[in-house]
Amino acid sequence: MPLALLALAVGAFGIGTTEFVMMGLLPDVAADLNISLPDAGHLVSAYALGVVVGAPLLAAVTARMSRRKVLIGLMVLFVAGNALSAFAPDYHWLLAARFLSGLPHGAFFGVGAVVATTMVAPERKARSVSLMFLGLTVANIAGVPVATLMGQQLGWRATFLGVSTIGVVAIAALAKLIPHDDAHAPRVGVRGELAALRSLPVWLALGTTVAGFGALFAAYSYITPMLTDAAGFADSSVTLLLALFGVGATAGNLLGGRLADHSLRGTLFGGLTALVAVLALFPLLMSAEWSAGTAVVLLGTAAFVTGSPLQLMVMEKASAAPSLASSANQAAFNLANAGGAWIGGVALAAGFGVTSPALAGAGLAVLGLAVAGAAAVVDRRRVVAPQGRLVATHVPRDVEALHR
């Protein structure tokens, strides 16, 4: 595997850290800026909105540019957003800075996945994508806990300065390790990239991402009350348990990349089936501390097994213009985050019990399997259809006469 993948992983590590660290800093930010906790929660939503808006927009606008320059430019925007967050004078400036920080997120992963696959042999494409995503999963193990601790000890502004530093390191690594591609810069353009989104298989792949990762976030968004109220863990143990989720996610990401190089669709179906099983068993697993800890690891593993296959599938379905479709998959991931959390909250508010969000997630995972199954049927028909048309081609009259 080329060393350039390390540069992409460093960028992914910084992005993953800034995305999730705000959740741990909400009380500190709220107290410092004299705002309520729900208002502080809008800072999480502002980042997610930036991802959803920025992923397709920036990928389309930069379609004719060198992908190396695009990646460096996106990371410069990331550093600027986090630096502005650190120096934001009030809540509204911080809200705008968080939105700005989210803009490059989806496009970086989308364009980065395309670059990663161009640097390896065809049989290693999924593994290359999983190595880039490794930065995102490791951020949940190391980056987020360390950044949260830094914010608690030195103030939340220090956290965003630290994340900006990671972005500067990523810029240097990208400039040094990513190959120059100016001579071979993509010439698809905005219209070509948009044309890729007219494909039904692309939308089915994006739908699978929304449903599959929506299943994860329906449960994960409410994992803390499950661990404390159902499993009986102390509040102080939750941070360690969330790090275990990161361990599971890292293992699942690497496993999914390796398996998908052998069977892309088989890995996707296997991961979604495992996710259904884990989420359906959550109420039982949360009845004891040892099984609850196991459930957290299994949840991360089952969910992230599907990460690389889904990213690669979207890119293959839009092979003529993969950057926009690949970035759109990251927007779909964040829609899954918001939608899954909302569906899990509905189950909780309805009084079905503290573990009910996991059962709602199991239903979403079943929906993901159904969408993935529909995509497989569409692909099969598209392979068979051309053969049918060849059989039905017009036979010239002179050839017809010879057969008579």
Side-chain angles (χ1 to χ4, degrees):
M1 287 291 173
L3 192 60
L5 292 176
L6 176 63
L8 295 173
V10 172
F13 177 80
I15 290 173
T17 300
T18 201
E19 179 180 18
F20 295 109
V21 74
M22 181 57 77
M23 299 170 188
L25 295 177
L26 287 182
D28 303 270
V29 174
D32 185 54
L33 297 179
N34 279 325
I35 57 175
S36 67
L37 206 55
D39 282 342
H42 293 158
L43 296 167
V44 177
S45 303
Y47 183 92
L49 181 62
V51 178
V52 174
V53 172
L57 179 64
L58 293 177
V61 168
T62 59
R64 289 186 178 273
M65 294 176 60
S66 155
R67 288 176 178 142
R68 177 178 180 272
K69 291 179 179 177
V70 170
L71 288 170
I72 293 173
L74 290 170
M75 196 49 59
V76 168
L77 185 59
F78 169 82
V79 171
N82 282 281
L84 287 173
S85 296
F87 294 106
D90 57 37
Y91 169 68
H92 294 98
W93 278 100
L94 181 57
L95 202 65
R98 286 294 290 169
F99 176 80
L100 181 65
S101 300
L103 286 176
H105 177 129
F108 182 87
F109 280 108
V111 176
V114 175
V115 171
T117 57
T118 61
M119 294 189 293
V120 297
E123 66 273 12
R124 289 174 175 257
K125 283 186 175 182
R127 241 174 295 183
S128 71
V129 173
S130 72
L131 287 177
M132 181 187 70
F133 283 155
L134 187 64
L136 181 64
T137 56
V138 169
N140 283 283
I141 303 173
V144 174
V146 171
T148 302
L149 183 63
M150 179 187 297
Q152 292 169 347
Q153 299 298 318
L154 303 176
W156 62 270
R157 296 180 188 276
T159 294
F160 291 109
L161 285 176
V163 172
S164 297
T165 303
I166 297 172
V168 172
V169 173
I171 291 170
L174 291 167
K176 177 72 175 176
L177 299 176
I178 299 295
H180 289 269
D181 62 341
D182 299 76
H184 308 286
R187 301 297 177 190
V188 178
V190 176
R191 292 180 65 182
E193 291 282 354
L194 289 173
L197 294 183
R198 297 175 190 164
S199 166
L200 177 59
V202 169
W203 282 104
L204 288 172
L206 293 173
T208 307
T209 297
V210 172
F213 277 97
L216 165 65
F217 287 112
Y220 187 65
S221 300
Y222 305 95
I223 195 69
T224 296
M226 289 189 212
L227 291 170
T228 55
D229 297 350
F233 281 102
D235 291 342
S236 57
S237 304
V238 171
T239 302
L240 176 61
L241 290 164
L242 294 184
L244 286 178
F245 172 83
V247 171
T250 300
N253 173 54
L254 293 175
L255 179 64
R258 184 168 290 274
L259 292 176
D261 279 328
H262 297 285
S263 175
L264 186 64
R265 202 174 292 280
T267 304
L268 178 58
F269 279 115
L272 287 171
T273 301
L275 188 58
V276 172
V278 171
L279 289 170
L281 290 172
F282 239 62
L284 178 63
L285 294 172
M286 285 291 156
S287 60
E289 288 189 356
W290 69 270
S291 57
T294 303
V296 171
V297 177
L298 291 176
L299 178 63
T301 303
F304 279 86
V305 159
T306 65
S308 299
L310 281 169
Q311 189 73 34
L312 196 59
M313 188 171 292
V314 170
M315 290 162 56
E316 288 185 351
K317 300 309 175 189
S319 55
S323 294
L324 178 56
S326 181
S327 300
N329 194 51
Q330 294 301 312
F333 179 88
N334 277 269
L335 286 174
N337 189 339
W342 177 76
I343 290 173
V346 168
L348 202 59
F352 294 128
V354 72
T355 58
S356 62
L359 297 179
L364 284 172
V366 171
L367 177 61
L369 274 171
V371 178
V377 171
V378 169
D379 282 352
R380 196 175 297 116
R381 287 180 176 175
R382 288 191 170 216
V383 170
V384 173
Q387 296 174 354
R389 283 196 294 271
L390 285 173
V391 173
T393 50
H394 174 67
V395 180
R397 288 185 179 179
D398 54 344
V399 175
E400 233 180 300
L402 284 174
H403 279 289
R404 289 199 190 103

